[in-house]
Amino acid sequence: MSDRSLAGARRRPSRHLPLQVLLGFLVVYFLVPFWWVIVNSSKDAPGLFGGGNTLWFAGHIDYLGNLRQLFTYDNGIYGRWILNSTLYAIAGGVGATVLSVMAGYGFAKYRFAARRFSFALVLGALMVPATALVIPTFMMFSQLGLTNTIWAVILPSLLNPFGVYLMHVYARDAVPDEILDAARADGAGEIRTFVQVAFPLMRPAVVTVLLLSAVASWNNYFLPLAMLSDNRLFPVTVGLGMWQGIASANNAGSTSLWSLIILGALVSVIPLVIAFFTLQRHWRGGLSVGGLR
């Protein structure tokens, strides 16, 4: 190897050093709050407010005791909130994904009247903040008598303009028209062509939309806060917010809710982590199918 090559090899790491430092800072920035939650979930009230190190464990670590108290406090209402969030995330995520896939595929592969105008409306909907639609949605559902029901949370979650846009872009580029024409020439109908030919090629985008929709439904706070008044229908986000208000007002009696709130926040993240790692293999599988095609 020449001296020039050696000098270039020595200089190359220094060129990427600022980017590596920035990435390291971002990793620390995102991991420190998660580590704080993990550490403080093991503490009781004296451990939280005793003035110790907030980024390290106290002398007494009692995850099991805190978990037992979390799932038994107020007749186990936290477990019901987790089930509610699971229902809203599955129903909203799957429903939004189905509608997004059908709409995006239709916009990408079919020609019909007012197609450009309809897709322009979808793009316009991307510009509208979801929180700006909560009050009009509440008034409409109130007139229909659907407030304080699970449908007041599920039905608005089915609309995902970003999912439609993502599926449109992906279907347009990842599903060649020649493959669809060949399937039709072989006698396959439109449904069979979509299910057996187009859908496997679209799987990475489908999984992405499913994950984003489910996470958005799980983390949804303002919509269920406005729509629901029965705490038995609350998702975990609104439930923990209610506990925080009670703890701030110090109306929890002899029970310190802060340790339950922190542990409840940690437990509520676990299903999202499991969903992410479970769906990861479908990204790889879909990309492999696309390469084979």
PDB file of all heavy atoms in Angstrom, residues 60-81:
ATOM      1  N   HIS A  60     -33.221   0.236  47.985  1.00  0.00           N
ATOM      2  CA  HIS A  60     -34.274  -0.777  47.981  1.00  0.00           C
ATOM      3  C   HIS A  60     -34.914  -0.819  46.594  1.00  0.00           C
ATOM      4  O   HIS A  60     -35.534   0.152  46.157  1.00  0.00           O
ATOM      5  CB  HIS A  60     -35.320  -0.459  49.040  1.00  0.00           C
ATOM      6  CG  HIS A  60     -36.453  -1.442  49.076  1.00  0.00           C
ATOM      7  ND1 HIS A  60     -36.286  -2.768  49.405  1.00  0.00           N
ATOM      8  CD2 HIS A  60     -37.785  -1.284  48.810  1.00  0.00           C
ATOM      9  CE1 HIS A  60     -37.456  -3.384  49.348  1.00  0.00           C
ATOM     10  NE2 HIS A  60     -38.382  -2.504  48.995  1.00  0.00           N
ATOM     11  N   ILE A  61     -34.731  -1.942  45.902  1.00  0.00           N
ATOM     12  CA  ILE A  61     -35.303  -2.138  44.566  1.00  0.00           C
ATOM     13  C   ILE A  61     -36.478  -3.091  44.680  1.00  0.00           C
ATOM     14  O   ILE A  61     -36.311  -4.233  45.131  1.00  0.00           O
ATOM     15  CB  ILE A  61     -34.252  -2.689  43.581  1.00  0.00           C
ATOM     16  CG1 ILE A  61     -33.084  -1.709  43.451  1.00  0.00           C
ATOM     17  CG2 ILE A  61     -34.874  -2.965  42.222  1.00  0.00           C
ATOM     18  CD1 ILE A  61     -31.955  -2.215  42.582  1.00  0.00           C
ATOM     19  N   ASP A  62     -37.653  -2.634  44.271  1.00  0.00           N
ATOM     20  CA  ASP A  62     -38.857  -3.453  44.457  1.00  0.00           C
ATOM     21  C   ASP A  62     -39.765  -3.331  43.239  1.00  0.00           C
ATOM     22  O   ASP A  62     -40.848  -2.744  43.298  1.00  0.00           O
ATOM     23  CB  ASP A  62     -39.592  -3.016  45.723  1.00  0.00           C
ATOM     24  CG  ASP A  62     -40.696  -4.004  46.114  1.00  0.00           C
ATOM     25  OD1 ASP A  62     -40.693  -5.125  45.564  1.00  0.00           O
ATOM     26  OD2 ASP A  62     -41.542  -3.660  46.946  1.00  0.00           O
ATOM     27  N   TYR A  63     -39.315  -3.889  42.104  1.00  0.00           N
ATOM     28  CA  TYR A  63     -40.150  -3.876  40.909  1.00  0.00           C
ATOM     29  C   TYR A  63     -41.433  -4.681  41.115  1.00  0.00           C
ATOM     30  O   TYR A  63     -42.528  -4.261  40.723  1.00  0.00           O
ATOM     31  CB  TYR A  63     -39.381  -4.452  39.715  1.00  0.00           C
ATOM     32  CG  TYR A  63     -38.431  -3.481  39.054  1.00  0.00           C
ATOM     33  CD1 TYR A  63     -37.057  -3.670  39.136  1.00  0.00           C
ATOM     34  CD2 TYR A  63     -38.897  -2.378  38.348  1.00  0.00           C
ATOM     35  CE1 TYR A  63     -36.174  -2.780  38.535  1.00  0.00           C
ATOM     36  CE2 TYR A  63     -38.030  -1.487  37.747  1.00  0.00           C
ATOM     37  CZ  TYR A  63     -36.666  -1.695  37.843  1.00  0.00           C
ATOM     38  OH  TYR A  63     -35.808  -0.818  37.247  1.00  0.00           O
ATOM     39  N   LEU A  64     -41.307  -5.858  41.710  1.00  0.00           N
ATOM     40  CA  LEU A  64     -42.469  -6.727  41.871  1.00  0.00           C
ATOM     41  C   LEU A  64     -43.519  -6.087  42.786  1.00  0.00           C
ATOM     42  O   LEU A  64     -44.725  -6.147  42.497  1.00  0.00           O
ATOM     43  CB  LEU A  64     -42.033  -8.085  42.426  1.00  0.00           C
ATOM     44  CG  LEU A  64     -41.168  -8.944  41.501  1.00  0.00           C
ATOM     45  CD1 LEU A  64     -40.797 -10.258  42.177  1.00  0.00           C
ATOM     46  CD2 LEU A  64     -41.907  -9.214  40.195  1.00  0.00           C
ATOM     47  N   GLY A  65     -43.065  -5.479  43.872  1.00  0.00           N
ATOM     48  CA  GLY A  65     -44.015  -4.811  44.762  1.00  0.00           C
ATOM     49  C   GLY A  65     -44.712  -3.649  44.087  1.00  0.00           C
ATOM     50  O   GLY A  65     -45.934  -3.472  44.244  1.00  0.00           O
ATOM     51  N   ASN A  66     -43.965  -2.868  43.314  1.00  0.00           N
ATOM     52  CA  ASN A  66     -44.572  -1.755  42.586  1.00  0.00           C
ATOM     53  C   ASN A  66     -45.533  -2.248  41.518  1.00  0.00           C
ATOM     54  O   ASN A  66     -46.596  -1.648  41.288  1.00  0.00           O
ATOM     55  CB  ASN A  66     -43.491  -0.884  41.963  1.00  0.00           C
ATOM     56  CG  ASN A  66     -42.710  -0.093  43.005  1.00  0.00           C
ATOM     57  OD1 ASN A  66     -43.117   0.004  44.159  1.00  0.00           O
ATOM     58  ND2 ASN A  66     -41.578   0.454  42.596  1.00  0.00           N
ATOM     59  N   LEU A  67     -45.156  -3.334  40.819  1.00  0.00           N
ATOM     60  CA  LEU A  67     -46.061  -3.908  39.819  1.00  0.00           C
ATOM     61  C   LEU A  67     -47.344  -4.408  40.460  1.00  0.00           C
ATOM     62  O   LEU A  67     -48.445  -4.206  39.917  1.00  0.00           O
ATOM     63  CB  LEU A  67     -45.361  -5.038  39.078  1.00  0.00           C
ATOM     64  CG  LEU A  67     -44.416  -4.653  37.942  1.00  0.00           C
ATOM     65  CD1 LEU A  67     -43.667  -5.888  37.447  1.00  0.00           C
ATOM     66  CD2 LEU A  67     -45.189  -4.010  36.791  1.00  0.00           C
ATOM     67  N   ARG A  68     -47.218  -5.063  41.593  1.00  0.00           N
ATOM     68  CA  ARG A  68     -48.409  -5.564  42.291  1.00  0.00           C
ATOM     69  C   ARG A  68     -49.316  -4.408  42.690  1.00  0.00           C
ATOM     70  O   ARG A  68     -50.548  -4.470  42.522  1.00  0.00           O
ATOM     71  CB  ARG A  68     -47.981  -6.361  43.523  1.00  0.00           C
ATOM     72  CG  ARG A  68     -49.124  -7.122  44.188  1.00  0.00           C
ATOM     73  CD  ARG A  68     -48.641  -7.894  45.406  1.00  0.00           C
ATOM     74  NE  ARG A  68     -47.525  -8.775  45.085  1.00  0.00           N
ATOM     75  CZ  ARG A  68     -46.274  -8.573  45.492  1.00  0.00           C
ATOM     76  NH1 ARG A  68     -45.978  -7.520  46.249  1.00  0.00           N
ATOM     77  NH2 ARG A  68     -45.321  -9.420  45.182  1.00  0.00           N
ATOM     78  N   GLN A  69     -48.729  -3.340  43.192  1.00  0.00           N
ATOM     79  CA  GLN A  69     -49.527  -2.182  43.571  1.00  0.00           C
ATOM     80  C   GLN A  69     -50.131  -1.497  42.349  1.00  0.00           C
ATOM     81  O   GLN A  69     -51.269  -1.006  42.394  1.00  0.00           O
ATOM     82  CB  GLN A  69     -48.650  -1.196  44.349  1.00  0.00           C
ATOM     83  CG  GLN A  69     -49.434  -0.048  44.975  1.00  0.00           C
ATOM     84  CD  GLN A  69     -48.542   0.870  45.788  1.00  0.00           C
ATOM     85  OE1 GLN A  69     -47.318   0.799  45.693  1.00  0.00           O
ATOM     86  NE2 GLN A  69     -49.147   1.737  46.596  1.00  0.00           N
ATOM     87  N   LEU A  70     -49.378  -1.465  41.230  1.00  0.00           N
ATOM     88  CA  LEU A  70     -49.879  -0.836  40.006  1.00  0.00           C
ATOM     89  C   LEU A  70     -51.127  -1.529  39.493  1.00  0.00           C
ATOM     90  O   LEU A  70     -52.101  -0.874  39.098  1.00  0.00           O
ATOM     91  CB  LEU A  70     -48.778  -0.856  38.940  1.00  0.00           C
ATOM     92  CG  LEU A  70     -49.161  -0.353  37.542  1.00  0.00           C
ATOM     93  CD1 LEU A  70     -49.478   1.134  37.577  1.00  0.00           C
ATOM     94  CD2 LEU A  70     -48.038  -0.646  36.541  1.00  0.00           C
ATOM     95  N   PHE A  71     -51.113  -2.860  39.488  1.00  0.00           N
ATOM     96  CA  PHE A  71     -52.230  -3.606  38.903  1.00  0.00           C
ATOM     97  C   PHE A  71     -53.343  -3.907  39.897  1.00  0.00           C
ATOM     98  O   PHE A  71     -54.345  -4.538  39.525  1.00  0.00           O
ATOM     99  CB  PHE A  71     -51.721  -4.917  38.291  1.00  0.00           C
ATOM    100  CG  PHE A  71     -51.034  -4.730  36.961  1.00  0.00           C
ATOM    101  CD1 PHE A  71     -49.661  -4.616  36.887  1.00  0.00           C
ATOM    102  CD2 PHE A  71     -51.779  -4.651  35.788  1.00  0.00           C
ATOM    103  CE1 PHE A  71     -49.022  -4.440  35.667  1.00  0.00           C
ATOM    104  CE2 PHE A  71     -51.154  -4.472  34.567  1.00  0.00           C
ATOM    105  CZ  PHE A  71     -49.766  -4.356  34.508  1.00  0.00           C
ATOM    106  N   THR A  72     -53.183  -3.488  41.143  1.00  0.00           N
ATOM    107  CA  THR A  72     -54.261  -3.682  42.125  1.00  0.00           C
ATOM    108  C   THR A  72     -54.860  -2.366  42.593  1.00  0.00           C
ATOM    109  O   THR A  72     -55.938  -2.376  43.205  1.00  0.00           O
ATOM    110  CB  THR A  72     -53.737  -4.455  43.354  1.00  0.00           C
ATOM    111  OG1 THR A  72     -52.616  -3.770  43.927  1.00  0.00           O
ATOM    112  CG2 THR A  72     -53.328  -5.871  42.968  1.00  0.00           C
ATOM    113  N   TYR A  73     -54.188  -1.249  42.294  1.00  0.00           N
ATOM    114  CA  TYR A  73     -54.707   0.051  42.753  1.00  0.00           C
ATOM    115  C   TYR A  73     -56.036   0.368  42.066  1.00  0.00           C
ATOM    116  O   TYR A  73     -56.194   0.165  40.860  1.00  0.00           O
ATOM    117  CB  TYR A  73     -53.678   1.153  42.459  1.00  0.00           C
ATOM    118  CG  TYR A  73     -54.150   2.527  42.868  1.00  0.00           C
ATOM    119  CD1 TYR A  73     -54.137   2.917  44.195  1.00  0.00           C
ATOM    120  CD2 TYR A  73     -54.616   3.429  41.911  1.00  0.00           C
ATOM    121  CE1 TYR A  73     -54.573   4.178  44.581  1.00  0.00           C
ATOM    122  CE2 TYR A  73     -55.057   4.693  42.285  1.00  0.00           C
ATOM    123  CZ  TYR A  73     -55.033   5.055  43.617  1.00  0.00           C
ATOM    124  OH  TYR A  73     -55.468   6.290  43.994  1.00  0.00           O
ATOM    125  N   ASP A  74     -56.988   0.852  42.829  1.00  0.00           N
ATOM    126  CA  ASP A  74     -58.311   1.223  42.317  1.00  0.00           C
ATOM    127  C   ASP A  74     -58.961   0.061  41.570  1.00  0.00           C
ATOM    128  O   ASP A  74     -59.459   0.200  40.450  1.00  0.00           O
ATOM    129  CB  ASP A  74     -58.196   2.452  41.415  1.00  0.00           C
ATOM    130  CG  ASP A  74     -59.547   3.119  41.175  1.00  0.00           C
ATOM    131  OD1 ASP A  74     -60.524   2.755  41.862  1.00  0.00           O
ATOM    132  OD2 ASP A  74     -59.631   3.978  40.280  1.00  0.00           O
ATOM    133  N   ASN A  75     -58.949  -1.099  42.196  1.00  0.00           N
ATOM    134  CA  ASN A  75     -59.573  -2.312  41.647  1.00  0.00           C
ATOM    135  C   ASN A  75     -58.978  -2.727  40.290  1.00  0.00           C
ATOM    136  O   ASN A  75     -59.675  -3.252  39.419  1.00  0.00           O
ATOM    137  CB  ASN A  75     -61.090  -2.117  41.498  1.00  0.00           C
ATOM    138  CG  ASN A  75     -61.781  -1.906  42.836  1.00  0.00           C
ATOM    139  OD1 ASN A  75     -61.446  -2.551  43.829  1.00  0.00           O
ATOM    140  ND2 ASN A  75     -62.725  -0.975  42.874  1.00  0.00           N
ATOM    141  N   GLY A  76     -57.683  -2.501  40.130  1.00  0.00           N
ATOM    142  CA  GLY A  76     -57.006  -2.951  38.914  1.00  0.00           C
ATOM    143  C   GLY A  76     -57.377  -2.169  37.672  1.00  0.00           C
ATOM    144  O   GLY A  76     -57.384  -2.724  36.565  1.00  0.00           O
ATOM    145  N   ILE A  77     -57.631  -0.864  37.825  1.00  0.00           N
ATOM    146  CA  ILE A  77     -58.069  -0.066  36.683  1.00  0.00           C
ATOM    147  C   ILE A  77     -56.961   0.061  35.628  1.00  0.00           C
ATOM    148  O   ILE A  77     -57.248   0.203  34.434  1.00  0.00           O
ATOM    149  CB  ILE A  77     -58.524   1.341  37.170  1.00  0.00           C
ATOM    150  CG1 ILE A  77     -59.234   2.100  36.055  1.00  0.00           C
ATOM    151  CG2 ILE A  77     -57.338   2.120  37.703  1.00  0.00           C
ATOM    152  CD1 ILE A  77     -60.538   1.517  35.633  1.00  0.00           C
ATOM    153  N   TYR A  78     -55.696  -0.036  36.066  1.00  0.00           N
ATOM    154  CA  TYR A  78     -54.600   0.108  35.095  1.00  0.00           C
ATOM    155  C   TYR A  78     -54.623  -1.025  34.065  1.00  0.00           C
ATOM    156  O   TYR A  78     -54.389  -0.793  32.874  1.00  0.00           O
ATOM    157  CB  TYR A  78     -53.257   0.135  35.815  1.00  0.00           C
ATOM    158  CG  TYR A  78     -52.083   0.292  34.873  1.00  0.00           C
ATOM    159  CD1 TYR A  78     -51.716   1.540  34.389  1.00  0.00           C
ATOM    160  CD2 TYR A  78     -51.349  -0.818  34.452  1.00  0.00           C
ATOM    161  CE1 TYR A  78     -50.645   1.684  33.521  1.00  0.00           C
ATOM    162  CE2 TYR A  78     -50.285  -0.682  33.582  1.00  0.00           C
ATOM    163  CZ  TYR A  78     -49.942   0.571  33.122  1.00  0.00           C
ATOM    164  OH  TYR A  78     -48.888   0.708  32.250  1.00  0.00           O
ATOM    165  N   GLY A  79     -54.900  -2.240  34.508  1.00  0.00           N
ATOM    166  CA  GLY A  79     -54.990  -3.356  33.564  1.00  0.00           C
ATOM    167  C   GLY A  79     -56.087  -3.132  32.538  1.00  0.00           C
ATOM    168  O   GLY A  79     -55.930  -3.497  31.358  1.00  0.00           O
ATOM    169  N   ARG A  80     -57.198  -2.551  32.969  1.00  0.00           N
ATOM    170  CA  ARG A  80     -58.278  -2.249  32.024  1.00  0.00           C
ATOM    171  C   ARG A  80     -57.829  -1.181  31.023  1.00  0.00           C
ATOM    172  O   ARG A  80     -58.165  -1.252  29.845  1.00  0.00           O
ATOM    173  CB  ARG A  80     -59.515  -1.779  32.776  1.00  0.00           C
ATOM    174  CG  ARG A  80     -60.744  -1.594  31.884  1.00  0.00           C
ATOM    175  CD  ARG A  80     -61.954  -1.146  32.675  1.00  0.00           C
ATOM    176  NE  ARG A  80     -63.115  -1.012  31.814  1.00  0.00           N
ATOM    177  CZ  ARG A  80     -64.008  -1.975  31.596  1.00  0.00           C
ATOM    178  NH1 ARG A  80     -63.851  -3.160  32.174  1.00  0.00           N
ATOM    179  NH2 ARG A  80     -65.038  -1.770  30.805  1.00  0.00           N
ATOM    180  N   TRP A  81     -57.053  -0.198  31.492  1.00  0.00           N
ATOM    181  CA  TRP A  81     -56.552   0.826  30.567  1.00  0.00           C
ATOM    182  C   TRP A  81     -55.626   0.209  29.518  1.00  0.00           C
ATOM    183  O   TRP A  81     -55.671   0.595  28.349  1.00  0.00           O
ATOM    184  CB  TRP A  81     -55.819   1.905  31.352  1.00  0.00           C
ATOM    185  CG  TRP A  81     -56.705   2.738  32.223  1.00  0.00           C
ATOM    186  CD1 TRP A  81     -58.070   2.874  32.126  1.00  0.00           C
ATOM    187  CD2 TRP A  81     -56.308   3.548  33.330  1.00  0.00           C
ATOM    188  NE1 TRP A  81     -58.532   3.718  33.095  1.00  0.00           N
ATOM    189  CE2 TRP A  81     -57.480   4.151  33.852  1.00  0.00           C
ATOM    190  CE3 TRP A  81     -55.090   3.825  33.937  1.00  0.00           C
ATOM    191  CZ2 TRP A  81     -57.452   5.013  34.951  1.00  0.00           C
ATOM    192  CZ3 TRP A  81     -55.045   4.677  35.025  1.00  0.00           C
ATOM    193  CH2 TRP A  81     -56.219   5.270  35.524  1.00  0.00           C
TER     194      TRP A  81
END
